[in-house]
Amino acid sequence: MTNRHVLALAALLPFLAGCSGEPSEADMRRLVEAHTRRALERQGQGGFRAFDVFRKQGCVAAKSKSGGKPGQYDCYYAATFVPQPGQPPLTVNGKGRFGKSETGDKGLVFEDLGAQPR
């Protein structure tokens, strides 16, 4: 295999990874940020806009015995944000279930399965 072939295959890897059905890091971030924003607003702690850092740590297909359905993934992530100006950053390790919306649209839905500050 020539260097050109290797470079061409390497360029295709991000597209092939996206075909697995697993949510992308950007999709996960968007859904977890929206969930966090709503949760903080319900508690009267508005002002959250976005995480300072968000990192997808990995996903596994959700098992049916834990409530998972085909096409759903249990994913782990780390999210860091500054809760209040002047306060130290807070990093949370979280787990969520991501899957296709049951309403027929092509969007993803997020179910919070827990987060732990570290």
Side-chain angles (χ1 to χ4, degrees):
M1 200 180 276
T2 68
N3 284 343
R4 288 176 60 192
H5 289 110
V6 171
L7 287 174
L9 287 173
L12 289 174
L13 283 177
F15 298 107
L16 294 174
C19 294
S20 71
E22 196 176 284
S24 70
E25 182 173 276
D27 288 336
M28 289 175 60
R29 180 179 187 142
R30 180 179 49 82
L31 291 166
V32 176
E33 281 177 342
H35 174 80
T36 302
R37 191 175 306 112
R38 286 189 304 269
L40 290 173
E41 286 171 357
R42 279 193 303 269
Q43 296 173 5
Q45 300 175 5
F48 172 79
R49 294 210 183 278
F51 296 118
D52 295 306
V53 178
F54 185 91
R55 192 176 64 247
K56 175 181 176 178
Q57 295 176 319
C59 296
V60 295
K63 295 188 178 2
S64 60
K65 62 183 170 184
S66 65
K69 297 175 184 163
Q72 290 185 326
Y73 292 86
D74 289 347
C75 300
Y76 299 86
Y77 58 87
T80 302
F81 63 101
V82 178
Q84 299 290 325
Q87 296 293 316
L90 173 66
T91 299
V92 223
N93 288 318
K95 179 181 179 183
R97 182 161 291 152
F98 297 82
K100 294 181 181 164
S101 171
E102 292 182 10
T103 61
D105 64 9
K106 296 185 183 194
L108 287 174
V109 294
F110 166 72
E111 176 187 352
D112 187 7
L113 298 178
Q116 298 294 319
R118 68 171 170 148

